[in-house]
Amino acid sequence: MMAETHSKSEVSTTTSTATSPTYAAPKSSSGISLCLQYFKTGPGIVKLVELVMGILCMACAAPAWTKGTHWFLFVVVTAFVSTSIWCFIYLLNLKNAINLPIDWLLTELILTALFAVLYLIASIVQIISTVTKPRPPRRLKPFYLLSGVFGVFNMLTYAVGSFYLYRDWKDSHPQSSFSGPVLKRNP
């Protein structure tokens, strides 16, 4: 009898530690402070990889000669600026310093997932416009193809980042609004 209650308490402690978020910002400071611990975690490393891959995509597709490359650079630069802003938010611990009624994880999750989809579309457009159009000069075609390939890799990186954010959001919101009795009723 005593061993059973002991094993149940062990089980409950292991499940509570298994559902903790990937990164929890320090709650002790209420103001802006430098927080480098985030970039030592999985999501922080993924953000840094997204930035490096974005720089490679911009460097390879820099002189835009086709409409597909214009679209590709628009997506890359928009994602790069957004990811840079999120890195500064985590670096300066602004999520705890700013008291706004924002679900930070959900906002970041939606943006990261949106950029993963946009990167997929833009990379396909970049590769197809490079192969089928005679417009880009011959010296730029290998770089345009390489930028499309880097775009696919960055899309995968954004997908991994979306997975981390979804897992953290699901752990911080155990009761979702979609799990209520509304979905169980038949009209």
Side-chain angles (χ1 to χ4, degrees):
M1 195 61 112
M2 186 65 110
E4 289 177 5
T5 57
H6 181 65
S7 64
K8 287 180 183 177
S9 66
E10 285 179 4
V11 171
S12 65
T13 57
T14 55
T15 41
S16 66
T17 57
T19 61
S20 64
T22 306
Y23 172 74
K27 299 281 184 182
S28 61
S29 65
S30 62
I32 296 174
S33 62
L34 193 61
C35 183
L36 294 173
Q37 291 82 15
Y38 175 75
F39 297 105
K40 296 177 183 176
T41 63
I45 293 170
V46 167
K47 280 219 186 327
L48 294 176
V49 171
E50 289 169 356
L51 288 176
V52 170
M53 293 297 289
I55 290 171
L56 290 174
C57 288
M58 287 186 281
C60 290
W65 285 83
T66 63
K67 291 180 182 178
T69 307
H70 285 284
W71 166 249
F72 181 76
L73 281 175
F74 171 74
V75 170
V76 170
V77 170
T78 306
F80 181 80
V81 169
S82 175
T83 305
S84 299
I85 290 171
W86 280 106
C87 283
F88 281 117
I89 287 172
Y90 282 109
L91 180 68
L92 298 175
N93 200 14
L94 291 176
K95 289 170 74 173
N96 292 336
I98 300 174
N99 293 326
L100 293 175
I102 297 174
D103 190 355
W104 292 95
L105 280 175
L106 183 62
T107 305
E108 188 179 6
L109 170 64
I110 290 170
L111 278 175
T112 306
L114 177 70
F115 285 132
V117 171
L118 288 176
Y119 252 109
L120 176 66
I121 295 168
S123 297
I124 291 171
V125 168
Q126 174 68 9
I127 291 171
I128 289 175
S129 68
T130 302
V131 173
T132 60
K133 304 282 185 198
R135 177 86 200 265
R138 291 184 123 178
R139 69 186 192 318
L140 292 178
K141 281 193 177 197
F143 295 110
Y144 281 7
L145 284 174
L146 191 61
S147 69
V149 171
F150 282 146
V152 170
F153 288 140
N154 209 2
M155 181 270 309
L156 294 173
T157 308
Y158 273 95
V160 169
S162 297
F163 169 73
Y164 277 132
L165 288 168
Y166 175 74
R167 190 180 64 185
D168 288 348
W169 180 78
K170 204 62 171 155
D171 288 345
S172 66
H173 295 81
Q175 295 296 332
S176 174
S177 61
F178 297 114
S179 64
V182 175
L183 295 177
K184 294 179 184 176
R185 284 187 282 157
N186 287 332

